[in-house]
Amino acid sequence: MTLFGLSEGALRFSIFLAIFLAMTALEAFLPRRARRFPRGQRWFTNIGVLFADYLAVAAMTFVVPITAALAALWAEANSFGLFYQLDWPLWLVWLISFIVLDFVIWGQHVVTHKIPLLWRIHRVHHSDEDLDATSAVRFHPLEILLSIFVKALAVVLLGAPVVLVVIFEAIVNGSALFNHANLKLPLWLDKWLRLILVTPDMHRVHHSVIHRETDSNYGFALSIWDRLFRTYNDQPEMGHEGMTIGLSEWQDDAPTRLGWTLALPFRTPPKSPPPVNKS
């Protein structure tokens, strides 16, 4: 399918690249925290993980052609899903579809923290010891493939419109780039934005090594779910400049290496992790 003269993939990549460049520029002028590691090695690793994701998705769709957009096209062609059985106005269908899909992504994120096998995979994302826009793409290929199936199932059951699905994915990807950015927003702006959207300061708490902070602020785009389900944490205990980011088990330069990062789901944590700040 095409939108604005571009294929779905080209459109999403164009939006992703524009937001990534904007966040990177803003980080350079308005950094929230000092970096622990230089950009070069971290960026090589995080973008390398993104490239591995691309190869995994390409291989999967060659064998089993499933993406959220393809699922929406199938549902449309077969009039399958909730909204194809209801005569509701299009604006309401779009609104509910967006909210429900965002909730599904939030719920999937929570589950990856609660099920040990899924956490082994998801900790690749949490192993980054600095947060910036590249951290938003640091997801192991296995997690990306799982996410595709979860979103595709939700899209089919809803009967979500194809265009809305493409827009939703672009917004969620852009939101992830924004809320992972090492960006210092004015406190008044952060306060008002986070009533609806997940801000960098809000999401950074989720990347703390302190377990109860990691176990909060799961949102990607909308902030309402964490407030509704009481997983919202306003500020990190040690402050944004003083908090430790990453995994307590690996507080060295290992997470900056690509091979180590891709193999992390199969690694066993050391028996005596280095101490971290805890109350």
Side-chain angles (χ1 to χ4, degrees):
M1 64 172 294
T2 61
L3 289 172
F4 309 111
L6 296 173
S7 68
E8 176 216 348
L11 177 63
R12 287 178 56 193
F13 179 74
S14 298
I15 295 172
F16 169 88
L17 184 60
I19 297 175
F20 174 77
L21 293 175
M23 291 301 105
T24 300
L26 287 171
E27 287 176 339
F29 290 103
L30 297 168
R32 185 63 160 107
R33 289 167 48 94
R35 294 178 183 272
R36 291 183 60 186
F37 297 97
R39 286 183 180 87
Q41 183 63 36
R42 279 190 59 257
W43 281 28
F44 175 81
T45 293
N46 290 351
I47 293 173
V49 172
L50 175 63
F51 184 66
D53 294 341
Y54 171 79
L55 293 178
V57 172
M60 186 198 72
T61 53
F62 179 77
V63 178
V64 183
I66 295 178
T67 66
L70 289 176
L73 285 171
W74 182 90
E76 180 181 60
N78 293 275
S79 298
F80 190 94
L82 175 65
F83 291 126
Y84 288 107
Q85 315 309 317
L86 301 172
D87 187 23
W88 287 4
L90 185 60
W91 68 267
L92 185 58
V93 169
W94 276 47
L95 178 62
I96 295 176
S97 294
F98 187 96
I99 292 173
V100 171
L101 289 174
D102 191 71
F103 174 71
V104 168
I105 297 299
W106 179 88
Q108 180 194 347
H109 190 187
V110 173
V111 169
T112 61
H113 280 254
K114 304 302 182 183
I115 298 178
L117 178 61
L118 296 182
W119 170 244
R120 291 183 72 92
I121 300 170
H122 183 60
R123 68 185 181 180
V124 167
H125 180 62
H126 279 265
S127 64
D128 205 352
E129 296 162 278
D130 284 314
L131 279 190
D132 61 23
T134 67
S135 305
V137 300
R138 186 186 169 102
F139 288 94
H140 196 275
L142 291 174
E143 183 167 4
I144 293 298
L145 296 181
L146 173 64
S147 181
I148 287 174
F149 280 98
V150 170
K151 285 187 290 186
L153 179 60
V155 164
V156 167
L157 292 177
L158 277 174
V162 181
V163 176
L164 179 278
V165 169
V166 175
I167 292 173
F168 170 79
E169 293 219 280
I171 290 175
V172 168
N173 290 340
S175 296
L177 289 169
F178 167 65
N179 58 49
H180 283 86
N182 183 28
L183 177 60
K184 186 175 184 178
L185 294 177
L187 294 181
W188 65 266
L189 180 58
D190 177 88
K191 175 184 176 181
W192 288 106
L193 274 180
R194 68 165 62 191
L195 293 176
I196 300 174
L197 302 176
V198 178
T199 65
D201 274 13
M202 178 179 168
H203 188 70
R204 191 177 298 106
V205 177
H206 179 70
H207 283 263
S208 168
V209 295
I210 299 175
H211 178 72
R212 68 175 176 277
E213 295 182 352
T214 310
D215 220 15
S216 67
N217 297 4
Y218 292 100
F220 275 93
L222 301 178
S223 65
I224 57 175
W225 309 119
D226 287 302
R227 297 178 187 277
L228 184 61
F229 289 94
R230 300 180 181 275
T231 54
Y232 175 69
N233 192 329
D234 184 57
Q235 298 294 332
E237 175 187 329
M238 305 303 296
H240 287 282
E241 288 79 9
M243 68 184 292
T244 302
I245 288 174
L247 299 172
S248 59
E249 302 94 326
W250 288 287
Q251 284 292 308
D252 52 28
D253 66 349
T256 68
R257 300 196 294 268
L258 178 59
W260 185 96
T261 299
L262 290 174
L264 180 56
F266 314 102
R267 297 183 186 277
T268 301
K271 292 183 179 179
S272 300
V276 296
N277 295 317
K278 294 182 179 179
S279 61

